[in-house]
Amino acid sequence: HLPLVMIAGPCALESREHALDVSGQLREIADRLGIGLIYKTSFDKANRTSLSSARGIGLENALPIFREIRETSGLPVLTDVHTAEQCAIAAQAVDVLQIPAFLCRQTDLLIAAAETGKPVNVKKGQFLAPWDMKNVVSKLTGAGNPNVMACERGVSFGYNTLVSDMRAIPIMRDIGCPIVFDATHSVQQPGGQGGTSGGQREFVPTLATAAVSIGVAAVFMETHPDPANAPSDGPNMVPLNEFESLVGRLMEFDALAKKRA
Amino acid sequence: HLPLVMIAGPCALESREHALDVSGQLREIADRLGIGLIYKTSFDKANRTSLSSARGIGLENALPIFREIRETSGLPVLTDVHTAEQCAIAAQAVDVLQIPAFLCRQTDLLIAAAETGKPVNVKKGQFLAPWDMKNVVSKLTGAGNPNVMACERGVSFGYNTLVSDMRAIPIMRDIGCPIVFDATHSVQQPGGQGGTSGGQREFVPTLATAAVSIGVAAVFMETHPDPANAPSDGPNMVPLNEFESLVGRLMEFDALAKKRA
Amino acid sequence: HLPLVMIAGPCALESREHALDVSGQLREIADRLGIGLIYKTSFDKANRTSLSSARGIGLENALPIFREIRETSGLPVLTDVHTAEQCAIAAQAVDVLQIPAFLCRQTDLLIAAAETGKPVNVKKGQFLAPWDMKNVVSKLTGAGNPNVMACERGVSFGYNTLVSDMRAIPIMRDIGCPIVFDATHSVQQPGGQGGTSGGQREFVPTLATAAVSIGVAAVFMETHPDPANAPSDGPNMVPLNEFESLVGRLMEFDALAKKRA
Amino acid sequence: HLPLVMIAGPCALESREHALDVSGQLREIADRLGIGLIYKTSFDKANRTSLSSARGIGLENALPIFREIRETSGLPVLTDVHTAEQCAIAAQAVDVLQIPAFLCRQTDLLIAAAETGKPVNVKKGQFLAPWDMKNVVSKLTGAGNPNVMACERGVSFGYNTLVSDMRAIPIMRDIGCPIVFDATHSVQQPGGQGGTSGGQREFVPTLATAAVSIGVAAVFMETHPDPANAPSDGPNMVPLNEFESLVGRLMEFDALAKKRA
């Protein structure tokens, strides 16, 4: 079992300067901790709660910044794609493509992502059972791409609430792909603030520790130097100055979980 | 309050002959009952459970058939769209565009649908609370289209199960748009048969009666001459030979519900 | 199919005077409407959210009042029992025993209630599936009492929320016993106000209409002259001055539902 | 933070010989591992799915066996109580009283258990939110007993399914009482086999590891020499010959969780 990897970064690509700053800091933290880290950044927030929410800088504007992040920080970059057309374009400048949870059943998007040959991290829909991901993963591997990660990010539980069913980790692992636990969106409260989603940042360590102790390949955790002023997902991002100690703690649980598993 | 309208037809556009046959029969039933009916047909099943499931004939092939259905049956036609690009194209040949539940938060799709000027029926995501639809509807009306219908089709309830919360009808009605109750997908069991979704056709009359008695503008109900051999949604479609008596019964409850409401 | 019966009254037996007053008014309403009505009253609130909530006057104090309600109003009386010992005692003075939802799996309580020979209305636990009620009803009928009603009152849906699955009505009807729909507790928000439960009185007509249109033997609906000052369940009780028109409306749907069902 | 304690034993008190045999083996395992262990045994299964299920030997018959278990094994004994009357009687012969989940809102039972002065382990109802346990715990402490443990055992999630929300652990810990995680009933499938409950024993290590890594005072885990032939909860009990290695593993996670928490 390979040691834990982090997928981390701010929710949105806010600007070139912001992205280079945060990716540089994350590279330093990863080096100090001795952990692999994939930089997560989004060029478009395509499914915001309301029309007036900020969208992002767009794919064309993001491509040169993606390249610059890779070059300056040396970190691999992951971004999420929303249409089949975006896949091949994004794949020119990033290392991992991510399929959003709401879109995990859209066959054309999955095939287009798979056909880029890049590793794909597909999030489990909030409306799916863990075993349903077998069909989702098969759409990707059936299109010729064996590098598929399945990501748990909570399941609908009543209204405006998600719950993390930890049984999903061994169930999806049995599908045969590495498991990512998204500790950021698992504590989201969808629509919980009326026009935007709320979140419970205080439970990120709880759920991340639980998932890592069960055994996962990676933890997805958004982090931001100033979450209160982030354009999206502020309530559930970990402040950057708390990131290093939290990840260090997760690494201890990861080492124990993989000692004889 | 206007009397009940039916949105009905087979799940998929199987062939020109099949579509003309079923739409012709539905027109005759609607005439006998004295009810308005919109013919529902899909050119693509874009989010099938598994890769090997049938997809459909595609938008380009469907356009002339949509036109022919309208001309021969005289019924307005509704179809569902899956990408922003499809909206303007489909709008050339149909009367109502429908946004699938999984895609109800995709801003670009909503705007493109709204901008066609056609009435839009947007399904509530299985992962949304009824009050969350306010933001979804606002994306459509904010793009300049006042003709928006909100459609209840069940909410995630544990794994592989949906439940119809009848409170959703008055809650969404308060948003200010006509309410459609989808009696077909509300009895779907997503992923319930492993590689395909299951369904409980036997509860269609139960849920449709309940919704109509509360007061809705339309009921969405897929029907097929031979559900057992339909390419999709067979387990939850109403056999065509039971359609007329069921709709007749719903009309009685509709008349009572709207008598003094 | 017999016409609809109402099970109605204030949540708690507040005092002799209050009970005689409300039962008298309900008798008059029932006579004007031409509907059967069972007077519901509780001598103990045995499972209040918090220790400081009012409990009630107790079984011994309630017995003579139960008798007086029957004599003065002529209405049959229903009360809920919480221990096996209470069953035979309560049965001396009431016409129907009710098993609370939390206690619907307590075998000794069910047997003791059944052995009184009185009709038993057993509420479906918030934690049970409709088909699970088969075993609950069998405990009662297996103890020799065929007069068992099964009552739907909502199922847990996330935290502090219930949802009414209308499929429960035909599913439980197939067990072979009359179905009661509890329109009051179905709109409860358990624990929703911290130290007490909240409620959404505004959805009582919605859910009651839906249930009656599907077809039920009885509707359970708490009513109070002044819900805002009731010791329990205030937020979900129907004001007494709205009761008659609501029940009159339900009777119209009941007549239609049973016309040819 | 005190090190992890186990609450373990077979679901039911099957016979004197069986209880002395299993408690003796558990004492030996606890000694080898260096862990505190409370022996769990039930004299009555008061809420079985169906009337024909085995009930148990009864409280009077169990009392001398409880005493003999304590004397021969030296282990403290926990048993669950179902009526207020049983509390004082059971308290003569056991060390901890347990309140079943279905009964966690029954005020009289809670008060009677609290008044024995024995420590009380109260299970969170499947229908409660974690924060609702504040009121439950207050009923016990308000009756003068500060020794209260709150136990997570899963929450209703759709039909016949429970889910373990790991956020419940820190939320209930903030109430101020030690937290027990019930790894056995959290994997129960209530009513999942028609006339009996099913279970998913394979997820016991997953959920127990997650809970311990978050930090709990105790894990509740039923174990049996031959689960396939146990009178109740067979599908979710851990075979006794796997118990030692599983608990040893949990102790490693417990030590890490409490290192600096």
Side-chain angles (χ1 to χ4, degrees):
Chain A
H1 292 282
L2 295 171
L4 185 70
V5 168
M6 293 302 295
I7 301 174
C11 182
L13 203 176
E14 300 181 20
S15 72
R16 174 182 169 276
E17 291 66 30
H18 190 263
L20 295 179
D21 173 33
V22 178
S23 59
Q25 291 191 56
L26 285 172
R27 174 58 193 259
E28 289 173 27
I29 292 170
D31 284 353
R32 280 198 296 270
L33 291 170
I35 191 170
L37 190 147
I38 299 169
Y39 186 75
K40 185 266 168 177
T41 182
S42 293
F43 60 84
D44 184 21
K45 310 311 296 177
N47 57 23
R48 296 302 300 267
T49 302
S50 73
L51 195 57
S52 58
S53 305
R55 281 290 296 265
I57 67 169
L59 179 53
E60 290 302 327
N61 292 329
L63 289 174
I65 305 176
F66 289 159
R67 291 194 182 95
E68 200 171 351
I69 295 168
R70 289 158 112 183
E71 283 162 23
T72 60
S73 73
L75 295 174
V77 171
L78 168 151
T79 200
D80 44 334
V81 286
H82 313 278
T83 68
E85 292 70 26
Q86 290 173 345
C87 294
I89 302 169
Q92 299 167 14
V94 302
D95 303 277
V96 183
L97 294 177
Q98 182 170 286
I99 306 294
F102 289 155
L103 302 180
C104 72
R105 288 274 298 258
Q106 302 302 315
T107 307
D108 289 340
L109 175 61
L110 292 168
I111 293 175
E115 289 181 344
T116 65
K118 295 283 180 184
V120 177
N121 180 33
V122 58
K123 295 202 173 183
K124 179 166 73 65
Q126 298 88 332
F127 43 83
L128 282 190
W131 43 87
D132 294 336
M133 284 295 281
K134 186 168 188 286
N135 293 306
V136 170
V137 170
S138 292
K139 287 186 186 177
L140 290 159
T141 56
N145 189 334
N147 295 314
V148 179
M149 294 169 270
C151 180
E152 169 62 33
R153 51 91 76 234
V155 60
S156 289
F157 178 64
Y159 291 135
N160 301 314
T161 310
L162 300 169
V163 67
S164 296
D165 182 354
M166 293 294 164
R167 293 173 297 194
I169 294 174
I171 292 170
M172 295 201 299
R173 198 163 44 200
D174 283 351
I175 297 171
C177 54
I179 302 305
V180 180
F181 181 76
D182 177 346
T184 296
H185 295 92
S186 293
V187 301
Q188 201 181 35
Q189 295 176 306
Q193 302 183 335
T196 61
S197 288
Q200 300 177 300
R201 181 190 303 139
E202 66 273 25
F203 295 121
V204 169
T206 297
L207 296 184
T209 301
V212 165
S213 300
I214 294 167
V216 292
V219 166
F220 178 107
M221 190 187 296
E222 292 182 353
T223 182
H224 193 279
D226 183 12
N229 291 304
S232 58
D233 269 334
N236 37 339
M237 283 198 278
V238 171
L240 189 53
N241 64 7
E242 300 176 11
F243 184 80
E244 184 166 354
S245 71
L246 174 54
V247 175
R249 190 95 172 104
L250 294 179
M251 291 171 72
E252 295 185 84
F253 283 96
D254 180 64
L256 179 55
K258 292 175 180 168
K259 200 178 61 170
R260 354 163 205 172
Chain B
H1 293 285
L2 296 171
L4 185 70
V5 168
M6 293 301 296
I7 302 174
C11 182
L13 202 175
E14 300 181 20
S15 72
R16 174 181 170 278
E17 291 67 29
H18 189 264
L20 295 178
D21 174 33
V22 179
S23 58
Q25 292 192 55
L26 285 172
R27 173 61 195 258
E28 289 174 27
I29 292 170
D31 284 352
R32 279 197 297 268
L33 292 169
I35 191 169
L37 190 147
I38 300 169
Y39 186 75
K40 184 266 168 178
T41 181
S42 295
F43 60 84
D44 185 19
K45 310 310 297 177
N47 58 23
R48 296 302 301 267
T49 304
S50 75
L51 194 57
S52 57
S53 304
R55 281 290 295 266
I57 69 168
L59 179 52
E60 290 303 327
N61 292 329
L63 290 174
I65 306 176
F66 289 159
R67 291 193 182 96
E68 200 170 352
I69 295 168
R70 288 159 112 184
E71 285 161 22
T72 59
S73 73
L75 296 174
V77 171
L78 169 151
T79 200
D80 44 333
V81 285
H82 313 279
T83 67
E85 293 70 26
Q86 290 172 347
C87 294
I89 303 170
Q92 299 167 14
V94 302
D95 302 277
V96 184
L97 294 178
Q98 181 169 285
I99 306 293
F102 290 154
L103 302 181
C104 73
R105 288 274 296 260
Q106 304 302 314
T107 306
D108 290 340
L109 175 62
L110 291 167
I111 292 175
E115 290 182 343
T116 64
K118 295 283 181 184
V120 178
N121 180 32
V122 56
K123 294 203 174 182
K124 179 165 73 64
Q126 300 88 334
F127 43 83
L128 283 190
W131 44 86
D132 295 336
M133 284 297 281
K134 186 167 187 289
N135 294 306
V136 170
V137 170
S138 292
K139 288 186 186 179
L140 290 159
T141 56
N145 190 332
N147 295 315
V148 179
M149 295 169 268
C151 179
E152 168 63 31
R153 50 90 76 233
V155 59
S156 289
F157 179 64
Y159 291 135
N160 300 316
T161 309
L162 300 169
V163 67
S164 296
D165 182 354
M166 293 295 164
R167 294 172 297 194
I169 292 173
I171 293 171
M172 295 202 298
R173 198 164 43 200
D174 282 351
I175 297 172
C177 53
I179 303 304
V180 181
F181 182 75
D182 177 347
T184 297
H185 295 93
S186 294
V187 302
Q188 200 180 37
Q189 296 176 306
Q193 302 183 334
T196 61
S197 289
Q200 299 177 299
R201 181 189 305 138
E202 66 273 26
F203 295 121
V204 169
T206 297
L207 296 183
T209 301
V212 165
S213 301
I214 294 167
V216 294
V219 166
F220 176 108
M221 191 188 295
E222 292 181 354
T223 181
H224 193 278
D226 183 11
N229 291 305
S232 56
D233 270 332
N236 36 338
M237 283 197 278
V238 171
L240 188 52
N241 63 8
E242 301 176 10
F243 184 81
E244 183 166 354
S245 70
L246 174 54
V247 174
R249 190 95 172 103
L250 295 180
M251 291 171 71
E252 295 185 84
F253 283 96
D254 181 64
L256 179 55
K258 292 174 182 168
K259 199 180 58 171
R260 352 166 206 169
Chain C
H1 292 284
L2 295 171
L4 185 69
V5 168
M6 294 300 296
I7 301 174
C11 183
L13 202 175
E14 301 181 19
S15 71
R16 175 181 168 278
E17 291 66 29
H18 189 263
L20 295 180
D21 173 33
V22 179
S23 59
Q25 292 191 55
L26 285 172
R27 173 60 194 257
E28 289 173 25
I29 293 170
D31 283 352
R32 280 197 295 270
L33 291 169
I35 191 171
L37 190 147
I38 299 169
Y39 186 75
K40 186 265 169 178
T41 182
S42 293
F43 59 85
D44 184 20
K45 311 310 295 177
N47 57 25
R48 296 301 301 267
T49 303
S50 73
L51 194 56
S52 58
S53 305
R55 281 291 294 266
I57 67 167
L59 180 52
E60 291 302 327
N61 293 329
L63 289 175
I65 306 176
F66 290 160
R67 289 195 183 95
E68 200 171 350
I69 295 168
R70 289 159 111 183
E71 285 161 22
T72 59
S73 72
L75 295 174
V77 171
L78 169 150
T79 199
D80 44 334
V81 285
H82 313 279
T83 67
E85 291 72 24
Q86 291 173 345
C87 295
I89 303 169
Q92 298 168 13
V94 302
D95 302 278
V96 184
L97 295 178
Q98 181 169 286
I99 305 294
F102 289 155
L103 301 181
C104 73
R105 287 275 296 260
Q106 304 302 315
T107 307
D108 289 339
L109 176 62
L110 292 167
I111 293 176
E115 290 182 343
T116 65
K118 296 282 180 184
V120 178
N121 179 31
V122 57
K123 295 202 173 182
K124 179 165 74 63
Q126 299 88 334
F127 43 83
L128 282 190
W131 44 87
D132 295 336
M133 283 297 280
K134 187 167 185 289
N135 294 305
V136 170
V137 170
S138 292
K139 288 185 186 178
L140 290 159
T141 55
N145 190 332
N147 294 315
V148 179
M149 295 169 270
C151 179
E152 169 62 32
R153 49 92 75 232
V155 59
S156 289
F157 179 64
Y159 291 135
N160 301 315
T161 310
L162 300 169
V163 67
S164 296
D165 182 355
M166 293 294 164
R167 294 172 296 194
I169 294 173
I171 292 170
M172 295 201 299
R173 198 163 42 200
D174 283 350
I175 297 172
C177 52
I179 303 305
V180 180
F181 182 76
D182 178 346
T184 297
H185 295 93
S186 293
V187 301
Q188 199 181 38
Q189 296 176 306
Q193 301 183 336
T196 60
S197 289
Q200 300 177 301
R201 181 188 306 138
E202 66 273 26
F203 294 121
V204 169
T206 299
L207 297 184
T209 302
V212 165
S213 301
I214 294 167
V216 293
V219 166
F220 176 108
M221 190 188 296
E222 292 183 352
T223 183
H224 193 279
D226 183 12
N229 291 304
S232 57
D233 270 333
N236 36 338
M237 281 197 280
V238 171
L240 189 52
N241 63 8
E242 301 176 11
F243 185 79
E244 183 166 353
S245 71
L246 174 53
V247 174
R249 191 95 172 105
L250 295 180
M251 290 171 72
E252 295 185 84
F253 283 96
D254 180 65
L256 179 55
K258 292 174 180 167
K259 198 179 59 169
R260 352 164 206 172
Chain D
H1 293 285
L2 296 171
L4 185 69
V5 168
M6 294 302 295
I7 301 173
C11 182
L13 203 176
E14 300 181 20
S15 71
R16 175 180 168 276
E17 291 66 32
H18 190 262
L20 295 179
D21 173 33
V22 178
S23 59
Q25 291 192 55
L26 285 172
R27 173 60 194 255
E28 289 174 26
I29 292 170
D31 284 351
R32 280 197 298 269
L33 291 170
I35 191 169
L37 191 146
I38 299 169
Y39 186 75
K40 185 267 168 175
T41 182
S42 294
F43 60 85
D44 184 19
K45 311 310 296 177
N47 57 24
R48 296 301 302 269
T49 303
S50 73
L51 194 58
S52 58
S53 304
R55 280 291 295 265
I57 67 168
L59 179 53
E60 291 302 326
N61 292 330
L63 289 175
I65 306 176
F66 289 160
R67 291 194 182 96
E68 198 170 353
I69 295 168
R70 289 158 112 184
E71 284 161 22
T72 60
S73 73
L75 295 174
V77 170
L78 170 151
T79 200
D80 43 335
V81 285
H82 312 279
T83 67
E85 292 71 26
Q86 290 172 346
C87 294
I89 303 170
Q92 299 168 12
V94 302
D95 302 277
V96 184
L97 294 178
Q98 181 169 287
I99 306 293
F102 289 155
L103 302 180
C104 73
R105 288 274 297 260
Q106 303 302 314
T107 306
D108 289 339
L109 176 62
L110 291 168
I111 292 176
E115 289 182 344
T116 65
K118 295 284 180 184
V120 177
N121 179 33
V122 56
K123 295 202 173 182
K124 179 165 74 61
Q126 298 89 333
F127 43 82
L128 283 189
W131 43 87
D132 295 336
M133 283 297 280
K134 186 166 186 292
N135 293 307
V136 170
V137 170
S138 292
K139 288 186 186 177
L140 290 159
T141 55
N145 190 333
N147 295 314
V148 179
M149 296 169 269
C151 180
E152 168 63 32
R153 51 89 78 231
V155 59
S156 289
F157 179 64
Y159 290 136
N160 301 316
T161 309
L162 300 168
V163 67
S164 297
D165 182 354
M166 293 294 164
R167 294 172 296 195
I169 293 174
I171 292 170
M172 296 201 298
R173 198 162 44 200
D174 283 350
I175 297 172
C177 55
I179 303 304
V180 180
F181 182 76
D182 177 346
T184 296
H185 296 93
S186 294
V187 302
Q188 199 180 38
Q189 295 176 307
Q193 302 183 334
T196 61
S197 288
Q200 300 178 301
R201 182 189 303 140
E202 64 273 25
F203 294 121
V204 169
T206 297
L207 296 184
T209 300
V212 165
S213 300
I214 293 167
V216 293
V219 166
F220 177 108
M221 190 188 296
E222 292 182 352
T223 181
H224 193 280
D226 183 12
N229 290 304
S232 58
D233 270 334
N236 36 339
M237 283 198 279
V238 171
L240 188 52
N241 64 8
E242 299 175 12
F243 184 80
E244 183 165 353
S245 70
L246 174 53
V247 175
R249 191 95 172 103
L250 295 179
M251 291 172 72
E252 296 185 84
F253 283 96
D254 181 64
L256 179 55
K258 293 175 181 167
K259 199 178 58 171
R260 353 164 205 170

